[in-house]
Amino acid sequence: MTTDEVLDGVGPRLRALRKHRGITLAELSTTTGISESTLSRLESGQRRATLELLLPLARTYDVPLDDLVGAPRTGDPRIHLTPIHRFGMTFIPLSRRPGGVQSFKMLIPGRLREPTPQTHDGFEWLYVLNGQLRLVLDDLDLTLPPGEAAEFDTSQPHWLGSADGHAVELLILFDPQGLRTHVRGPGQRA
């Protein structure tokens, strides 16, 4: 695909994204600082996309810049994850979107530790894959076996660790804005 073909696809992609999100040009102009007329010309293909225009749009839509321009995927389908080591635990990022809900696989080593509850902004949802998770949340001291899930406001004092001295493996969805995770049942619509 040529550069011109990639750039020609940006406008329709931006319009479709805005319509799908139910955002007006006026609302988008307010959040990005880009005039309505420039946004309209960009969407209709009368104005070429530039980095100065695409960066605030990517931030507002909370998508990678590659998604806005329709950048072709590389030939290598592997995801190269860089583990994060904090508090004696390993967090493996499973999502690459900046901002919004972030997903991690978390590995807690097999050792018993004294709980040291912490607080921070956000909302967390977790699902235990393997092992016995000890979740201390305010005055609650819970043990979650594989297959159990929990969600909580991270402004509450909380701590995660091994309940039995063996390693624990879990999935975590974390929203720094503090929005709850919603799961819809069959037949329910957004």
Side-chain angles (χ1 to χ4, degrees), residues 59 61-63 95 97-104 123 173-179:
R59 236 184 333 270
Y61 288 132
D62 194 24
V63 297
S95 58
R97 274 183 49 192
V101 177
Q102 300 162 6
S103 59
F104 299 91
F123 202 87
L173 296 178
F174 174 71
D175 184 354
Q177 282 80 39
L179 300 177

Side-chain angles (χ1 to χ4, degrees), residues 108-112 130-134 161-169:
I108 300 173
R111 66 175 186 254
L112 294 172
N130 291 303
Q132 300 287 320
L133 175 69
R134 182 177 178 195
S162 172
D164 60 5
H166 293 91
V168 183
E169 184 178 9

Side-chain angles (χ1 to χ4, degrees), residues 125-128 144-145 147-151:
W125 179 91
L126 58 85
Y127 178 84
V128 181
L144 283 72
E148 280 204 4
E151 66 176 355

